[in-house]
Amino acid sequence: METTTPLIELQNVAKRFGGIQALSGIDFDVRKGEVHALVGENGAGKSTMMKILAGVIPEYEGKMLWRGKNVRLKNPRHALGLGIAMIHQELSVMPELTVAENIFLGRQPLRGGVVDWPRMFREAAKILAELGFDHINVRDNLERYPLGVHQLAEIARALTSGAELIIMDEPTSALSPMETRRLLELTRNLARAGKAIVYISHFLEEVTWVADRVTVLRDGGKVATLDAAASNKQELVRLMLGKEAAFFEESKLPGAASKNRETAVLSVENLTRPRVFEDVSFSLRSGEILGLYGLIGSGHFELGEAIYGLVRPASGRILLEGRPLPAAPRRAIDRGVAYVPPSRRTGLFLEKPIYQNVSLPWLARISGFVPRTPREIQAARAVIERVGVRPPDPEKEVAFLSGGNQQKVAIARWLVEPPKVFVVSEPTRGMDVGAKEEVMKILRELSQNGVGVLLISSEPETLLAASERILVMAKGRIVREFAGETVTKEQLLHAAAGELAEAR
């Protein structure tokens, strides 16, 4: 750690949204040459606190000091001008632009008043090479690459801004184990070079490895600030939740041997989409939670899109209750297939209220094509109370919910008329332990009511927490099935990537 003098400091900071006390009496500081991690449950106040530090929320009680002087940030541009950059969990990239354009978005290098394209491509390639990703062509449109590369572009943008304080909000949530290791090493190197880092993550092993100090928030207040080297994830969970919590490093999978094969509600037969997935076959039974695990780029997310009808495979068949399922989302919904994508940003209208997000697939059935707000609100209230959205206000804008509660909204919309098959990708991405368990409880209840759940994730813990069987994908193919046996996180990683298993 370079110095004990704070670069930035919050003193007795409090923030209220209407009747909700989001933050109360927060003292927090970050020093040059330090990685200061921030952990807590969804809704604990982390996002509000970071938005204050990044200038997104200018109105609050208490003081902020920058280099020892009182400052009140007006907006993110003001913060960036001082030297504060934030890498948001919900990405702000523009996929239709090139990788280089995304890295230098809003500050492209100029020459003679026009964009200096050669310089921009050269500098973008240099920063990605320093990150260990020299295989990415910065001239390609970002949309050609998976979500992990989108996140890397956002990270690279912050690193090239020249910021002295970098706020990283769940920076590894879409990265593979190897990409995660590289980012953690880069974060430590940035601190050694004198940068100040705020690191927010629900991967507590990352926190204890990368951080110098850890601050724990609970219910809008600061519980403790600890020396990371002297803490462990069990202690952090206890402080976050106020109780002990279990971690799923391994699980005894019951398998589906007792379930008759003829009860398959979904069958995928030899499904192929060139360069994405190839010759994929499996069955999902009614009332079963089937895990589908893979590293970023393995094709497992794209397989979920194909089942829902967002993409059309080149060959193979998808059968629902023995009948072919057309490649069209509207037809899939009508037949009883629900889908939650891996990114909340693409699955929700964040600027709209909860009830409009919930009612969207069911408008014709709820109100006969002509929207009738009271009916929409009534339908939404029932399902958001069922899944435990906090606050349970159907008229609240989704953008003002924590990430965990946004995910509950994404799930709740499909409970107005429970599906036969629920395809859900990364349902616990970026969530704390408590929120993850709440989402897993919802999926278990659906399976107990006969819904076939296809649980797609790159987080081993998520799959181990709920799956009856787990299929592992690598390079577009199913390479392993685990059923009726005890399986560990390490086994899943080894099956998916072999030597990459120890990376995370």
Side-chain angles (χ1 to χ4, degrees), residues 248-287:
F248 288 93
E249 299 292 340
E250 66 175 33
S251 178
K252 178 68 166 70
L253 302 182
S258 62
K259 298 185 178 181
N260 195 330
R261 189 171 181 83
E262 280 68 35
T263 64
V265 64
L266 178 75
S267 297
V268 173
E269 299 178 353
N270 309 113
L271 210 64
T272 296
R273 190 180 180 212
R275 297 184 297 280
V276 181
F277 49 79
E278 186 173 356
D279 198 29
V280 173
S281 298
F282 67 88
S283 293
L284 170 68
R285 299 152 178 85
S286 298

Side-chain angles (χ1 to χ4, degrees), residues 226-479:
L226 310 170
D227 182 347
S231 62
N232 56 58
K233 64 181 182 180
Q234 285 78 13
E235 180 183 15
L236 293 176
V237 169
R238 181 181 57 80
L239 292 171
M240 287 165 55
L241 305 183
K243 60 184 179 181
E244 298 293 336
F247 283 88
F248 288 93
E249 299 292 340
E250 66 175 33
S251 178
K252 178 68 166 70
L253 302 182
S258 62
K259 298 185 178 181
N260 195 330
R261 189 171 181 83
E262 280 68 35
T263 64
V265 64
L266 178 75
S267 297
V268 173
E269 299 178 353
N270 309 113
L271 210 64
T272 296
R273 190 180 180 212
R275 297 184 297 280
V276 181
F277 49 79
E278 186 173 356
D279 198 29
V280 173
S281 298
F282 67 88
S283 293
L284 170 68
R285 299 152 178 85
S286 298
E288 177 186 21
I289 299 180
L290 174 62
L292 184 61
Y293 175 69
L295 304 180
I296 301 298
S298 69
H300 58 328
F301 295 135
E302 292 83 356
L303 184 62
E305 292 177 346
I307 292 170
Y308 185 59
L310 289 173
V311 297
R312 185 182 296 274
S315 61
R317 296 197 307 169
I318 303 170
L319 304 176
L320 183 70
E321 297 180 319
R323 294 168 50 211
L325 186 64
R330 184 71 258 172
R331 296 289 298 278
I333 294 171
D334 291 342
R335 291 277 303 278
V337 178
Y339 173 69
V340 175
S343 171
R344 289 184 285 270
R345 181 172 291 276
T346 60
L348 295 170
F349 295 97
L350 299 181
E351 74 283 1
K352 299 293 185 181
I354 292 172
Y355 78 84
Q356 288 186 2
N357 276 272
V358 169
S359 66
L360 186 62
W362 315 110
L363 273 178
R365 303 182 194 184
I366 292 174
S367 52
F369 291 105
V370 180
R372 292 182 174 85
T373 299
R375 290 186 183 179
E376 292 181 75
I377 291 176
Q378 182 181 15
R381 190 185 306 277
V383 292
I384 67 174
E385 288 179 355
R386 177 180 170 187
V387 301
V389 173
R390 293 188 292 270
D393 178 3
E395 299 184 61
K396 189 175 184 64
E397 282 189 25
V398 173
F400 293 110
L401 300 177
S402 68
N405 282 297
Q406 288 178 0
Q407 190 70 305
K408 290 178 185 177
V409 172
I411 293 173
R413 66 160 39 143
W414 298 112
L415 303 185
V416 174
E417 293 190 12
K420 298 173 183 176
V421 169
F422 195 8
V423 180
V424 55
S425 294
E426 296 292 23
T428 62
R429 177 175 173 246
M431 289 187 183
D432 61 79
V433 176
K436 285 182 178 182
E437 179 53 35
E438 289 179 345
V439 170
M440 290 297 100
K441 181 180 177 182
I442 295 167
L443 297 182
R444 292 188 197 102
E445 288 177 353
L446 285 171
S447 72
Q448 290 166 4
N449 290 326
V451 177
V453 178
L454 181 61
L455 175 57
I456 306 173
S457 182
S458 293
E459 296 182 4
E461 297 88 348
T462 296
L463 296 164
L464 294 172
S467 303
E468 297 174 47
R469 291 186 294 143
I470 298 177
L471 305 176
V472 180
M473 284 190 71
K475 297 182 179 179
R477 292 178 175 270
I478 293 178
V479 295

Side-chain angles (χ1 to χ4, degrees), residues 110-126:
L110 302 177
R111 184 177 183 180
V114 298
V115 175
D116 187 343
W117 293 97
R119 178 184 168 192
M120 185 170 68
F121 290 138
R122 185 170 61 251
E123 292 185 3
K126 180 182 177 182

Side-chain angles (χ1 to χ4, degrees), residues 49-108:
M49 186 170 148
M50 290 306 99
K51 288 176 181 177
I52 290 173
L53 285 173
V56 178
I57 297 177
E59 299 298 328
Y60 55 90
E61 299 175 27
K63 289 184 178 182
M64 179 190 297
L65 304 180
W66 176 257
R67 297 184 178 281
K69 296 182 179 179
N70 194 21
V71 66
R72 180 71 60 153
L73 299 176
K74 300 174 184 177
N75 50 51
R77 185 175 293 276
H78 184 194
L80 190 59
L82 286 180
I84 302 169
M86 182 169 179
I87 301 166
H88 294 270
Q89 179 185 351
E90 296 300 331
L91 306 182
S92 59
V93 294
M94 301 184 71
E96 66 276 11
L97 300 182
T98 66
V99 175
E101 287 175 292
N102 274 281
I103 292 175
F104 287 95
L105 198 62
R107 50 185 180 80
Q108 296 90 339

Side-chain angles (χ1 to χ4, degrees), residues 171-207:
T172 67
S173 60
L175 302 185
S176 71
M178 183 61 78
E179 292 166 344
T180 293
R181 182 169 65 183
R182 288 172 180 165
L183 180 65
L184 293 176
E185 290 172 349
L186 172 71
T187 302
R188 290 301 320 158
N189 289 337
L190 288 170
R192 294 187 189 102
K195 301 290 186 183
I197 311 290
V198 178
Y199 192 91
I200 306 170
S201 179
H202 292 304
F203 295 108
L204 299 182
E205 290 142 323
E206 293 178 9
V207 165

